[in-house]
Amino acid sequence: MPLLDVQDLKTHYFTLRGSVKAVDGVSFQVDKGEALGLAGESGCGKTTVALSLLKILPSGGKIVDGKILFREEDLVKLKENQMRKMRWKKISIVFQGAMNALNPLFKVGDQIVEAIRTHEPRVKKKEAWKRAEKLLETVGIEPSRATNYPHEFSGGMRQRGLIAMALACNPELIIADEPGTALDVIVQAQVLKLMSELKSRLNLAMIMITHDLSIISETCEKAAIMYAGKIVEQGDIVTIFKEPIHPYTQGLIGAFPNIKAAKRRMTSISGSPPDLLEPPTGCRFHLRCSHVMDICKKEEPKPIRISENHYVACHLVTA
Amino acid sequence: MDENVAVKVTDLKKWFPVRMGFLGSLFSRKQSFVHAVDGINFEIKMGEVFGLAGESGSGKTTTGRLLLKLIKPTSGNIHFKGEDITTLPEKKLKPLRRRMQIIFQDPYESLNPRMTIGDILSEPLRVQGVVKSEAEVEAKIREILETVDLVPPEEFILRYPHELSGGQRQRVAIARGFILNPEFIIADEPVSMLDVSIRAGILNLMLDLAEKFNVSFLYITHDLALARHMCDRLAIMYLGKIVEMGQVEKIVYEPLHPYTKALIDAVPVPDPTAERIKVVIKGEIPSPVNPPSGCRFHTRCPVAIEICPKEEPALIDVGKGHWVACHLHK
């Protein structure tokens, strides 16, 4: 029984120009103590998946179909007051952009206290402060720095502060949205290492959302590749990186330079991601695909099971 | 002067004064400076792709701007093809600017939103007065648009930047950089704002153009994995200093400076069967206002010795053009 089981999730944004099908039929599972990497280019809907899981979509965004089963309970059906009990205690998120996700007007400690007391109102202020200090220590920040304001923290410390905040109510699942971007290489490596350590120490389930495949290969056990609102391929990371089947996955991996491998010419995928107001018919990747066939333009490929846990949505597999 | 050298930088420094405000200036004893670039030496050979890598705040972008004389150096010299351009008066800079160009990081900000692509590309031609007639302008624009793969050109000439995707915009910026047939081009993090799947196309385009027009190329980046695939030689900067420099293969496979080692070990590898990242150093890059004494890296260095905080190590050649500034390598 997976901890999180997302089934055919569809989240659309309703705008004046029409509905944007940001997430359009996405299914995946995450087990306890497991990290899933959700990769894709900007605008592929990966952040919308994260916001859907917590039901904190911006106005206009709506889950239109599908199930989000967390311990067999469907979050889609929960009312707002019930959902509030899930947030932070069960599922929490480390937001993108460490530089801006903390409120500059409040002490870091107070912001963590707020997170604790919002979700556990019975906790006394003093006790919450002690917990905040302890959380900062867990992420490698001197507890006395709890009285600092965000501007007194460096970029890496702010990112750690956000991780501490996400851990505040002992969640079972943490979603990290682009945890490494905007950080320098060494600081990014420190943060990723911290997250991996916390994951194994606290037996956390994790969803890493990133455009950087190398981050997924460093920290996750499973990977799902998203393109234009759909997962085109998913499986364990060794399979995804070593035997990718979907042309998009292959292209993405080819586009990634490896510092340790021999110097080579990088490959790119021609064209750019489609507009999700009017996604292409059939397979959404067909306009950029080098193996495109007639059927790709007409019919949408269904995910096909290749081996255990390895799914690909591509007509090439059946052809 | 070696004829093979396109750009030579000697002991180049750029200190930015720290603004203190009114009360600060009344009561403070001393003006403090950001030591953005603090005495660097290097050469870029003809037709070479030279990389400058480092964390943010290491001074790599400032170096790029100094080379183009977009800002004035505090001290030191810049030679371009044997000519000292450090103190060149503004008037004499104009013909020079035709020969050196820059491609900026963010194609959303580096293109004027009120100008069409045709205007953007024709402006450098007109400013430099290299064209005689409108027909020639148009021919040149068509040619360069085709070169950067924005085809058919007439589809793009009358469009505005907001009608193009990020990758297309960066191609326009590249076209603008190359339209004057420059001899030296600086690309400052040219793909960091672009999506992964289109990065490679832009980088390959720049490499192809650099080769085709035989330009010398300075590639500024924080991404060592990209630098490795782009550059012939690479210099690693830390707090305004070059700590290591040499053939890119040497730097990646046999780094000598502890900082370079840490930097390379910290780069995530897109191969799940490879060894996972090791983090050997703690903390973040210190403030360039009061850089640490001696070797600037000693505060974070895992192998620092007694001499490191006291004396600054010089950048020395340890053989085959591999330079390193570390007390452990002499």
Coordinates of all heavy atoms in Angstrom, one line a residue, chain A residues 213 224-228 230-235 239-254 269 282-293 296 299-304 306 310-317:
Chain A
L213 N 17.8 17.1 -14.0 CA 17.8 15.6 -13.8 C 18.9 15.1 -12.9 O 18.8 14.1 -12.3 CB 18.0 15.0 -15.2 CG 16.8 15.0 -16.1 CD1 17.2 14.4 -17.5 CD2 15.7 14.2 -15.5
A224 N 9.9 10.5 -12.4 CA 8.8 10.6 -13.4 C 9.1 11.8 -14.3 O 9.4 12.9 -13.8 CB 7.4 10.8 -12.6
I225 N 9.0 11.6 -15.6 CA 9.3 12.7 -16.5 C 8.0 13.3 -17.0 O 7.2 12.6 -17.6 CB 10.1 12.2 -17.7 CG1 11.3 11.4 -17.2 CG2 10.6 13.4 -18.6 CD1 12.4 12.1 -16.5
M226 N 7.8 14.6 -16.8 CA 6.6 15.2 -17.2 C 6.8 16.0 -18.5 O 7.8 16.7 -18.6 CB 6.1 16.2 -16.1 CG 5.0 15.6 -15.2 SD 4.3 16.8 -14.1 CE 2.8 17.2 -15.0
Y227 N 5.8 16.0 -19.3 CA 5.8 16.9 -20.5 C 4.4 17.4 -20.8 O 3.5 16.6 -20.9 CB 6.4 16.1 -21.7 CG 6.5 17.0 -22.9 CD1 7.6 17.9 -23.0 CD2 5.6 17.0 -24.0 CE1 7.7 18.8 -24.1 CE2 5.7 17.9 -25.0 CZ 6.8 18.8 -25.1 OH 6.9 19.6 -26.1
A228 N 4.2 18.7 -20.8 CA 3.0 19.3 -21.2 C 1.8 18.7 -20.4 O 0.8 18.3 -21.0 CB 2.7 19.2 -22.7
K230 N 1.5 15.9 -18.7 CA 1.4 14.4 -18.6 C 2.7 13.9 -18.2 O 3.8 14.4 -18.5 CB 1.1 13.9 -20.0 CG -0.2 14.4 -20.6 CD -0.9 13.3 -21.3 CE -2.3 13.8 -21.8 NZ -3.4 13.3 -21.0
I231 N 2.7 12.7 -17.5 CA 3.9 12.0 -17.3 C 4.1 11.1 -18.5 O 3.3 10.2 -18.8 CB 3.8 11.1 -16.0 CG1 3.7 12.1 -14.8 CG2 4.9 10.2 -15.8 CD1 3.6 11.4 -13.4
V232 N 5.3 11.2 -19.1 CA 5.5 10.5 -20.3 C 6.3 9.2 -20.0 O 6.2 8.2 -20.7 CB 6.3 11.3 -21.4 CG1 5.4 12.4 -21.9 CG2 7.6 11.8 -20.9
E233 N 7.0 9.2 -18.9 CA 7.8 8.0 -18.5 C 8.1 8.0 -17.1 O 8.3 9.1 -16.5 CB 9.1 7.9 -19.3 CG 9.9 6.6 -19.1 CD 10.9 6.4 -20.2 OE1 11.1 7.2 -21.0 OE2 11.5 5.3 -20.1
Q234 N 7.9 6.9 -16.4 CA 8.4 6.8 -15.0 C 8.9 5.4 -14.7 O 8.5 4.4 -15.3 CB 7.3 7.2 -14.0 CG 6.0 6.4 -14.1 CD 5.0 6.9 -13.0 OE1 5.4 7.1 -11.9 NE2 3.7 7.1 -13.4
G235 N 9.8 5.4 -13.7 CA 10.4 4.2 -13.3 C 11.5 4.5 -12.3 O 11.7 5.6 -11.8
T239 N 16.8 2.7 -14.4 CA 16.1 2.4 -15.6 C 15.9 3.7 -16.4 O 16.2 3.7 -17.7 CB 14.7 1.8 -15.4 OG1 14.8 0.8 -14.3 CG2 14.1 1.1 -16.6
I240 N 15.5 4.7 -15.8 CA 15.2 6.0 -16.5 C 16.4 6.6 -17.1 O 16.5 7.0 -18.2 CB 14.5 7.0 -15.5 CG1 13.1 6.5 -15.1 CG2 14.4 8.4 -16.2 CD1 12.1 6.6 -16.1
F241 N 17.5 6.5 -16.4 CA 18.8 7.1 -16.9 C 19.5 6.2 -17.8 O 20.2 6.7 -18.7 CB 19.7 7.5 -15.7 CG 19.3 8.8 -15.1 CD1 18.4 8.8 -14.0 CD2 19.8 10.0 -15.5 CE1 18.0 10.0 -13.4 CE2 19.4 11.2 -14.9 CZ 18.5 11.2 -13.9
K242 N 19.4 4.9 -17.6 CA 20.2 4.0 -18.4 C 19.5 3.4 -19.6 O 20.0 3.2 -20.6 CB 20.7 2.8 -17.6 CG 21.7 3.3 -16.5 CD 23.0 3.7 -17.1 CE 23.9 4.2 -16.0 NZ 25.1 4.9 -16.4
E243 N 18.2 3.2 -19.4 CA 17.4 2.7 -20.6 C 16.1 3.5 -20.8 O 15.0 2.9 -20.7 CB 17.0 1.2 -20.3 CG 18.2 0.3 -20.1 CD 17.8 -0.9 -19.1 OE1 16.6 -1.3 -19.1 OE2 18.7 -1.4 -18.4
P244 N 16.2 4.8 -21.0 CA 15.0 5.5 -21.3 C 14.4 5.1 -22.6 O 15.1 4.8 -23.6 CB 15.5 7.0 -21.4 CG 17.0 6.8 -21.8 CD 17.5 5.6 -21.2
I245 N 13.1 5.1 -22.7 CA 12.4 4.6 -23.9 C 11.8 5.8 -24.6 O 11.8 5.9 -25.8 CB 11.4 3.5 -23.5 CG1 12.1 2.3 -23.1 CG2 10.5 3.3 -24.7 CD1 11.2 1.1 -22.7
H246 N 11.1 6.7 -23.8 CA 10.4 7.8 -24.5 C 11.4 8.8 -25.1 O 12.4 9.1 -24.5 CB 9.6 8.5 -23.4 CG 8.5 9.4 -24.1 ND1 8.8 10.5 -24.7 CD2 7.2 9.2 -24.2 CE1 7.6 11.0 -25.2 NE2 6.6 10.2 -24.9
P247 N 11.2 9.2 -26.4 CA 12.1 10.1 -27.0 C 12.3 11.4 -26.2 O 13.4 11.9 -26.3 CB 11.4 10.4 -28.4 CG 10.5 9.3 -28.6 CD 10.0 8.8 -27.2
Y248 N 11.3 11.8 -25.5 CA 11.5 13.0 -24.7 C 12.5 12.8 -23.6 O 13.4 13.6 -23.3 CB 10.2 13.6 -24.2 CG 10.4 14.8 -23.3 CD1 10.8 16.0 -23.9 CD2 10.1 14.9 -22.0 CE1 11.0 17.2 -23.2 CE2 10.2 16.0 -21.3 CZ 10.7 17.2 -21.9 OH 10.9 18.3 -21.1
T249 N 12.4 11.7 -22.9 CA 13.3 11.3 -21.8 C 14.7 11.2 -22.4 O 15.7 11.8 -21.8 CB 12.9 10.0 -21.2 OG1 11.5 10.0 -21.0 CG2 13.6 9.8 -19.8
Q250 N 14.8 10.6 -23.5 CA 16.1 10.4 -24.1 C 16.7 11.8 -24.5 O 17.9 12.0 -24.2 CB 16.0 9.6 -25.4 CG 15.7 8.1 -25.1 CD 15.4 7.3 -26.4 OE1 15.3 7.9 -27.5 NE2 15.2 6.0 -26.3
G251 N 15.9 12.6 -25.0 CA 16.3 14.0 -25.4 C 16.8 14.8 -24.2 O 17.8 15.4 -24.2
L252 N 16.0 14.7 -23.1 CA 16.3 15.4 -21.9 C 17.6 15.0 -21.3 O 18.5 15.8 -20.9 CB 15.2 15.2 -20.9 CG 14.8 16.4 -20.0 CD1 14.6 17.6 -20.7 CD2 13.5 16.0 -19.2
I253 N 17.8 13.6 -21.3 CA 19.1 13.1 -20.8 C 20.3 13.5 -21.6 O 21.3 13.9 -21.2 CB 19.0 11.6 -20.6 CG1 18.0 11.3 -19.4 CG2 20.3 10.9 -20.3 CD1 17.6 9.9 -19.2
G254 N 20.0 13.5 -23.0 CA 21.1 13.9 -23.9 C 21.5 15.3 -23.8 O 22.6 15.7 -24.1
I269 N 16.6 19.3 -28.0 CA 15.3 18.9 -28.6 C 14.9 20.1 -29.4 O 14.8 21.2 -28.9 CB 14.3 18.5 -27.5 CG1 14.9 17.5 -26.6 CG2 13.0 18.0 -28.1 CD1 14.1 17.2 -25.4
G282 N -3.3 14.2 -30.1 CA -2.5 13.0 -30.0 C -1.5 13.0 -28.9 O -1.7 13.6 -27.8
C283 N -0.3 12.6 -29.2 CA 0.8 12.6 -28.3 C 1.3 14.1 -28.3 O 1.6 14.7 -29.3 CB 2.0 11.7 -28.7 SG 3.4 12.0 -27.7
R284 N 1.4 14.7 -27.1 CA 1.7 16.1 -27.0 C 3.1 16.4 -27.4 O 3.5 17.6 -27.6 CB 1.5 16.6 -25.6 CG 0.0 16.5 -25.2 CD -0.3 17.1 -23.9 NE -1.7 17.2 -23.7 CZ -2.4 17.7 -22.7 NH1 -1.7 18.3 -21.8 NH2 -3.7 17.7 -22.7
F285 N 3.9 15.4 -27.5 CA 5.3 15.6 -27.9 C 5.5 15.5 -29.4 O 6.6 15.8 -29.9 CB 6.2 14.6 -27.1 CG 7.7 14.8 -27.3 CD1 8.3 16.0 -26.9 CD2 8.5 13.8 -27.8 CE1 9.6 16.2 -27.0 CE2 9.8 14.0 -27.9 CZ 10.4 15.3 -27.6
H286 N 4.5 15.1 -30.1 CA 4.8 14.8 -31.5 C 5.4 15.9 -32.4 O 6.1 15.6 -33.3 CB 3.5 14.2 -32.2 CG 2.5 15.2 -32.7 ND1 1.4 15.5 -32.1 CD2 2.5 15.9 -33.8 CE1 0.7 16.4 -32.8 NE2 1.4 16.7 -33.8
L287 N 5.1 17.1 -32.0 CA 5.7 18.2 -32.8 C 7.2 18.3 -32.7 O 7.9 18.9 -33.6 CB 5.1 19.6 -32.4 CG 3.6 19.7 -32.7 CD1 3.0 21.0 -32.0 CD2 3.3 19.8 -34.2
R288 N 7.7 17.8 -31.6 CA 9.2 17.9 -31.4 C 9.9 16.6 -31.5 O 11.1 16.5 -31.3 CB 9.5 18.5 -30.0 CG 8.9 19.9 -29.8 CD 9.0 20.3 -28.4 NE 10.4 20.7 -28.1 CZ 10.8 21.0 -26.8 NH1 10.0 20.9 -25.8 NH2 12.0 21.4 -26.6
C289 N 9.1 15.5 -31.8 CA 9.7 14.2 -31.7 C 10.3 13.8 -33.0 O 9.8 14.1 -34.1 CB 8.5 13.2 -31.4 SG 9.1 11.5 -31.2
S290 N 11.5 13.2 -32.9 CA 12.2 12.8 -34.2 C 11.7 11.4 -34.7 O 12.1 11.1 -35.8 CB 13.7 12.8 -33.9 OG 14.0 12.0 -32.8
H291 N 10.9 10.7 -33.9 CA 10.5 9.4 -34.3 C 9.0 9.4 -34.6 O 8.3 8.4 -34.6 CB 10.7 8.4 -33.2 CG 12.1 8.3 -32.8 ND1 13.1 7.6 -33.5 CD2 12.7 8.8 -31.7 CE1 14.2 7.7 -32.9 NE2 14.0 8.4 -31.8
V292 N 8.5 10.6 -34.9 CA 7.0 10.8 -35.0 C 6.4 9.9 -36.1 O 7.0 9.8 -37.2 CB 6.6 12.3 -35.2 CG1 7.2 12.8 -36.5 CG2 5.1 12.5 -35.1
M293 N 5.3 9.3 -35.8 CA 4.6 8.5 -36.8 C 3.2 9.1 -37.0 O 2.8 10.0 -36.3 CB 4.4 7.0 -36.3 CG 5.8 6.4 -36.0 SD 5.6 4.8 -35.2 CE 4.8 5.1 -33.6
C296 N 0.8 9.1 -34.0 CA 1.1 10.0 -32.9 C 0.3 11.3 -32.9 O 0.0 12.0 -31.9 CB 2.6 10.4 -32.9 SG 3.7 8.9 -32.8
E299 N -3.7 9.9 -32.1 CA -4.1 9.2 -30.9 C -3.2 9.4 -29.7 O -2.0 9.4 -29.9 CB -4.2 7.7 -31.2 CG -5.1 6.9 -30.4 CD -5.2 5.5 -30.8 OE1 -5.5 5.2 -32.0 OE2 -4.8 4.6 -30.0
E300 N -3.8 9.6 -28.6 CA -2.9 9.8 -27.4 C -2.4 8.5 -26.9 O -3.2 7.6 -26.7 CB -3.7 10.6 -26.3 CG -2.9 11.1 -25.3 CD -3.7 11.8 -24.2 OE1 -4.6 12.6 -24.5 OE2 -3.5 11.5 -23.0
P301 N -1.1 8.4 -26.7 CA -0.6 7.1 -26.2 C -0.9 6.9 -24.7 O -0.9 7.8 -23.9 CB 0.9 7.2 -26.4 CG 1.2 8.7 -26.4 CD 0.0 9.4 -26.9
K302 N -1.3 5.7 -24.4 CA -1.6 5.4 -22.9 C -0.3 4.9 -22.3 O 0.5 4.3 -23.0 CB -2.6 4.3 -22.9 CG -4.0 4.6 -23.5 CD -4.9 5.0 -22.4 CE -6.2 5.6 -22.9 NZ -6.1 6.8 -23.9
P303 N -0.2 5.1 -21.0 CA 1.0 4.5 -20.3 C 1.0 3.0 -20.4 O 0.0 2.3 -20.1 CB 0.9 5.0 -18.9 CG -0.2 6.0 -18.9 CD -1.0 5.8 -20.1
I304 N 2.1 2.4 -20.8 CA 2.3 1.0 -21.0 C 3.3 0.5 -20.0 O 4.4 1.1 -19.9 CB 2.6 0.6 -22.4 CG1 1.5 1.0 -23.3 CG2 3.0 -0.9 -22.5 CD1 1.9 1.1 -24.8
I306 N 6.3 -1.5 -19.0 CA 7.4 -2.2 -19.6 C 8.0 -3.3 -18.7 O 8.2 -4.4 -19.2 CB 8.5 -1.2 -20.0 CG1 8.0 0.0 -20.8 CG2 9.7 -1.9 -20.7 CD1 7.6 -0.3 -22.2
H310 N 8.1 0.4 -14.4 CA 8.5 1.2 -15.5 C 7.4 1.4 -16.5 O 6.9 0.4 -17.1 CB 9.7 0.6 -16.2 CG 10.4 1.4 -17.2 ND1 11.3 0.9 -18.1 CD2 10.2 2.7 -17.5 CE1 11.7 1.9 -19.0 NE2 11.0 3.0 -18.6
Y311 N 6.9 2.6 -16.6 CA 5.8 2.9 -17.5 C 6.2 3.9 -18.5 O 6.9 4.9 -18.2 CB 4.6 3.5 -16.7 CG 4.0 2.5 -15.8 CD1 4.4 2.3 -14.5 CD2 2.9 1.7 -16.2 CE1 3.9 1.3 -13.6 CE2 2.3 0.8 -15.3 CZ 2.8 0.6 -14.1 OH 2.2 -0.3 -13.2
V312 N 5.7 3.7 -19.8 CA 6.0 4.7 -20.8 C 4.8 4.9 -21.6 O 4.0 4.0 -21.9 CB 7.1 4.1 -21.8 CG1 7.4 5.1 -22.9 CG2 8.4 3.7 -21.1
A313 N 4.5 6.2 -21.9 CA 3.4 6.5 -22.8 C 3.9 6.9 -24.1 O 4.2 8.1 -24.4 CB 2.6 7.7 -22.2
C314 N 4.1 6.0 -25.0 CA 4.7 6.3 -26.4 C 4.2 5.2 -27.3 O 4.2 4.0 -27.0 CB 6.2 6.3 -26.3 SG 6.9 6.7 -27.9
H315 N 3.8 5.6 -28.5 CA 3.3 4.7 -29.5 C 4.5 3.8 -30.1 O 4.2 2.7 -30.6 CB 2.7 5.4 -30.7 CG 1.3 6.0 -30.4 ND1 0.3 5.2 -29.9 CD2 0.9 7.3 -30.4 CE1 -0.7 6.0 -29.6 NE2 -0.4 7.3 -29.9
L316 N 5.7 4.2 -29.9 CA 6.8 3.4 -30.4 C 6.9 2.1 -29.7 O 7.3 1.1 -30.3 CB 8.1 4.1 -30.1 CG 8.5 5.3 -31.1 CD1 9.8 6.0 -30.5 CD2 8.7 4.8 -32.5
V317 N 6.4 2.0 -28.5 CA 6.5 0.8 -27.7 C 5.6 -0.3 -28.3 O 6.0 -1.5 -28.4 CB 6.1 1.0 -26.2 CG1 6.2 -0.2 -25.4 CG2 7.0 2.1 -25.6

